[in-house]
């Protein structure tokens, strides 16, 4: 990123004028990325196709073999919960790094509770809510219509799980069918002004603050559906300059020797959507952010 991008982002973080989006790459060192998780499950279920890094497609296949989505999601939830949280005191740990800023709303497509734990570790009182993207996921009316979700602040932030949580396995957006249903539900909800799917305070955080994507890859279903299907449907978002911490396009994503051309193309692609790109892991981003901000007072 340019120095001007860093300066703008640092000012936004310090004032809380920013909405972070936490992706699978944020679990670096503790949880597998979506691609790594996908390959693990592809091997387990003897996935027959070449795209074994595509989690949504691999899980669609696994669901077909099991014959039941809930069983699949429960198994995944148990495995993820057993892995335990990261070391929030480790240098460059992104959950703790982002939790210290006075941000009122955080969004995540991860299923874990690491962000809430990091916020509590920073002396805050977060409230976590799950997006009711299908009828089986309850809307937290108490939080958003009577509780802290009405006016979250730096000390009482809201963590909104767009793609579900392991504490409610049926809420997890996992298979191809889930991603399509999620996108259709989001589109229908906006057309019908359904305040339950995207509560007003969450919509305000989306539409009126710059977004900071942490731990995504352009080739993931999660990011593609989120970026193309949700973000683009709110025109006000285009009025701000955003930042995306993107995992580098390496390995099977690009041809040998074509990495620089791939990054150049993707940078132009993102720039067209007013997104500045930091190429690297969330840990690398957090370490550079710390260096640029200097010693904490």
């Amino acid at each position: 990123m340019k120095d001007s991008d860093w300066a703008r982002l640092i000012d936004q973080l310090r004032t809380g004028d920013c909405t972070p989006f936490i992706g699978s790459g944020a679990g670096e060192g503790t949880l597998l990325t979506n691609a790594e998780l996908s390959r693990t499950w592809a091997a387990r279920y003897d996935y027959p196709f070449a795209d074994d890094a595509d989690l949504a497609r691999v899980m669609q296949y696994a669901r077909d073999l099991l014959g039941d989505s809930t069983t699949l999601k429960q198994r995944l939830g148990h495995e993820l919960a057993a892995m335990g949280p990261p070391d929030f005191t480790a240098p460059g740990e992104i959950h703790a790094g982002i939790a210290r800023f006075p941000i009122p709303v955080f969004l995540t497509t991860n299923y874990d509770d690491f962000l809430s734990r990091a916020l509590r570790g920073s002396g805050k009182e977060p409230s976590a809510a799950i997006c009711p993207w299908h009828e089986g996921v309850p809307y937290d009316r108490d939080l958003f219509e009577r509780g802290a979700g009405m006016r979250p602040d730096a000390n009482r932030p809201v963590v909104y799980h767009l793609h579900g949580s392991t504490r409610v396995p049926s809420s997890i957006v996992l298979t191809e069918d889930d991603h399509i249903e999620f996108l259709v539900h989001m589109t229908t909800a906006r057309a019908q002004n359904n305040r339950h799917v995207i509560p007003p305070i969450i919509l305000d955080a989306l539409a009126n603050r710059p977004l900071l994507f942490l731990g995504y890859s352009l080739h993931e279903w999660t990011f593609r559906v989120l970026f193309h299907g949700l973000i683009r449907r709110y025109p006000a978002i285009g009025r701000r300059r955003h930042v995306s911490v993107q995992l580098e396009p390496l390995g099977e994503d690009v041809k040998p020797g074509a990495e620089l051309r791939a990054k150049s193309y993707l940078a132009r692609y993102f720039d067209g959507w007013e997104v500045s790109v930091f190429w690297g892991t969330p840990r690398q981003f957090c370490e550079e952010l710390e260096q640029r901000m200097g010693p904490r007072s």
Side-chain angles (χ1 to χ4, degrees), residues 154-166:
N155 295 316
R156 297 195 307 163
V158 167
V159 178
Y160 199 62
H161 289 262
L162 274 171
H163 281 183
S165 166
T166 53

Side-chain angles (χ1 to χ4, degrees), residues 8-295:
R8 183 181 62 253
L9 176 62
I10 289 171
D11 181 65
Q12 292 165 351
L13 288 170
R14 282 175 169 159
T15 60
D17 182 28
C18 179
T19 300
F21 262 92
I22 312 298
S24 68
E28 179 186 7
T30 301
L31 295 180
L32 301 177
T33 64
N34 279 355
E36 292 168 336
L37 184 65
S38 180
R39 291 191 182 95
T40 298
W41 282 68
R44 180 178 302 168
Y45 287 96
D46 196 21
Y47 182 68
F49 304 105
D51 56 348
D52 61 353
D54 191 318
L55 183 61
R57 291 180 178 175
V58 168
M59 290 304 192
Q60 186 72 34
Y61 180 80
R63 183 249 177 257
D64 180 70
L65 290 183
L66 288 174
D68 181 69
S69 292
T70 300
T71 299
L72 176 67
K73 294 174 183 181
Q74 287 174 340
R75 289 184 181 181
L76 175 65
H78 290 322
E79 289 192 14
L80 295 179
M83 293 181 181
D87 179 3
F88 295 122
T89 66
E93 204 293 307
I94 192 62
H95 299 91
I98 203 71
R100 67 187 178 92
F101 294 107
I103 296 171
V105 175
F106 297 81
L107 291 96
T108 180
T109 51
N110 292 344
Y111 315 130
D112 57 72
D113 65 347
F114 296 167
L115 185 54
S116 291
R117 294 194 193 196
L119 287 164
R120 286 193 289 270
S122 294
K124 302 179 182 182
E125 300 178 14
S127 297
I130 301 173
C131 174
W133 61 276
H134 68 78
E135 293 181 358
V137 183
Y139 167 63
D140 196 338
R141 187 177 302 276
D142 284 342
L143 175 65
F144 289 110
E145 296 184 13
R146 291 180 285 273
M150 294 182 65
R151 292 183 181 84
D153 55 37
N155 295 316
R156 297 195 307 163
V158 167
V159 178
Y160 199 62
H161 289 262
L162 274 171
H163 281 183
S165 166
T166 53
R167 60 188 172 89
V168 183
S170 64
S171 70
I172 293 176
V173 179
L174 187 61
T175 66
E176 281 185 314
D177 285 349
D178 289 338
H179 282 278
I180 292 170
E181 184 177 350
F182 174 85
L183 177 57
V184 169
H185 203 80
M186 286 292 172
T187 304
T188 304
R190 183 178 181 236
Q192 297 176 350
N193 194 26
N194 188 333
R195 294 160 60 91
H196 293 178
V197 177
I198 303 291
I201 198 67
I202 304 300
L203 179 56
D204 178 71
L206 275 171
N208 297 317
R209 294 192 185 98
L211 307 175
L212 172 59
F213 295 97
L214 294 162
Y216 289 99
S217 166
L218 179 64
H219 297 284
E220 293 180 22
W221 262 76
T222 296
F223 186 76
R224 293 202 304 267
V225 171
L226 180 68
F227 190 71
H228 290 282
L230 178 59
I231 305 305
R232 287 175 59 185
R233 295 184 182 278
Y234 295 92
I237 292 173
R239 299 172 191 158
R240 304 295 298 267
R241 185 79 183 180
H242 314 292
V243 169
S244 181
V245 177
Q246 283 279 317
L247 304 178
E248 297 206 30
L250 302 173
E252 70 277 4
D253 288 339
V254 294
K255 294 180 179 179
E259 290 85 0
L260 288 178
R261 285 191 292 120
K263 287 171 66 174
S264 177
Y265 159 72
L266 292 172
R268 293 195 303 272
Y269 175 88
F270 280 110
D271 191 62
W273 292 104
E274 297 296 326
V275 177
S276 299
V277 179
F278 174 92
W279 293 108
T281 67
R283 187 176 301 276
Q284 291 168 335
F285 167 79
C286 196
E287 289 173 348
E288 182 162 349
L289 177 64
E290 292 284 347
Q291 292 174 1
R292 287 176 175 269
M293 293 188 70

